[in-house]
Amino acid sequence: MRIRTLTAVTSALAGLCLAVAGAAPAAAATGSPGRAGAAPRVPVVIGHRGVPVQAPENTLASIDRAARLGVRWVENDVQRTKDGALIVMHDTTLSRTTDVARRFPGRGPWKVSDFTLAEIEKLDAGSWYDRRFKGERVPTLARYLDRVEHNRQKLLLEVKAPELYPGIEQQIVTELRNHGWLDRPHVSGRLVVQSFNATSLRTLHRLRPDVTTGYLGNPKESELRSYAAFADQINPNHTGVTAAWVRAVHALKGPHGRRLQVSAWTVDDGDRAVALARMGVDGIISNAPHVIADALDGDDDPSFLSDPSSGVEALLDGGA
């Protein structure tokens, strides 16, 4: 049996409801997942670095492609250049996804932090993927935020390797504020910040306690409570997820007094996505979000849409 995806309108409502609740970018809410007889919840599908199976990762082309496919949530990675600019890049080196080795052959290992923004803006970030994307550039966080806004998308922003960039949390907060991403509509419904680095996430939470935060990792059940002080989500590698672990996460409340959420990564197999949905995860992060959405589609029993624990009714009633 497959699980039906939400309609476009219902999906948007459910995603907004969750974020208003200070929760994960997902279409689940306050009920206890995995309880006997419970209807399965439909996780929100999040584009990992956009849609990297169709466009070069972490580029504007990738999130534009996600928008055309109807992917409303996109994930990215933020780092800092030598001269202090924030850019969107996953690896801490530029060599895999740009032509930096050709343009600057004597400067290996081509760390992001060893190059100025002006130098990085000269790089081709698309040809490595396909010649159709020749000339695609590494976006600044500012340009990326503006494009996500233009596309009416929502953002799962990862603070990448913050231990390499002291003070980056304050810079990110400033950039988000400057581009209108810290007003109530964005904070309540369109933004989550996550990191593998717990210290960085605590700093972010201290700077902006209203922003929804996610810890990336698979903590043991006995350790979960310590993360609930500063994280609204525990976002694990999907290979370590079990139904019991999801229940343990959902049993705790985060810093906003609401149930912790789970968004699992990186899931590109439809059957695995369905299995995770049945375990009760709230979000699924995927390189092929359109494929995962299709895999979740097809259940003839849409009873979850009327499940009071879904939170959709609360939103329609003006709650949450």
Side-chain angles (χ1 to χ4, degrees), residues 15 18-19 23-27 43-46 73 156 192 212 233 235 263 282-284:
L18 269 186
V44 159
V45 182
I46 303 157
W73 278 94
L156 176 57
V192 177
T212 300
Q233 307 174 15
N235 296 342
S263 288
D282 308 291
I284 294 177

Side-chain angles (χ1 to χ4, degrees), residues 15-29:
L16 175 60
C17 177
L18 269 186
V20 166

Side-chain angles (χ1 to χ4, degrees), residues 16-195:
L16 175 60
C17 177
L18 269 186
V20 166
T30 57
S32 175
R35 66 190 185 279
R41 291 181 179 82
V42 180
V44 159
V45 182
I46 303 157
H48 185 234
R49 311 175 203 169
V51 187
V53 297
Q54 293 195 4
E57 64 182 62
N58 272 329
T59 62
L60 300 184
S62 196
I63 57 173
D64 286 348
R65 183 59 183 163
R68 289 193 292 272
L69 291 169
V71 177
R72 306 317 306 161
W73 278 94
V74 291
E75 183 264 0
N76 74 351
D77 307 273
V78 178
Q79 297 188 59
R80 188 168 67 200
T81 67
K82 182 178 180 179
D83 53 341
L86 298 180
I87 65 166
V88 177
M89 171 68 59
H90 177 268
D91 297 4
T92 56
T93 63
L94 297 158
S95 54
R96 181 176 63 87
T97 57
T98 76
D99 62 347
V100 67
R102 182 179 65 82
R103 286 185 175 270
F104 300 98
R107 294 177 59 180
W110 302 287
K111 295 179 182 179
V112 171
S113 58
D114 287 342
F115 287 79
T116 66
L117 177 59
E119 290 171 332
I120 290 174
E121 287 183 328
K122 296 175 182 177
L123 303 179
D124 182 338
S127 293
W128 69 274
Y129 186 92
D130 189 280
R131 62 185 180 183
R132 292 175 299 150
F133 297 101
K134 181 179 180 180
E136 191 71 25
R137 301 304 177 192
V138 175
T140 61
L141 177 58
R143 289 190 64 203
Y144 194 97
L145 291 171
D146 289 346
R147 186 63 64 88
V148 173
E149 180 72 22
H150 173 79
N151 291 345
R152 299 182 180 179
Q153 292 168 305
K154 306 176 184 185
L155 179 61
L156 176 57
L157 184 157
E158 180 179 341
V159 186
K160 194 72 178 181
E163 61 276 8
L164 300 178
Y165 311 108
I168 193 172
E169 297 84 7
Q170 181 61 68
Q171 275 191 277
I172 289 173
V173 166
T174 299
E175 197 86 316
L176 288 168
R177 182 188 301 113
N178 289 344
H179 289 267
W181 275 80
L182 291 183
D183 62 10
R184 182 171 175 79
H186 287 82
V187 168
S188 65
R190 295 181 59 189
L191 176 67
V192 177
V193 179
Q194 64 177 0
S195 181

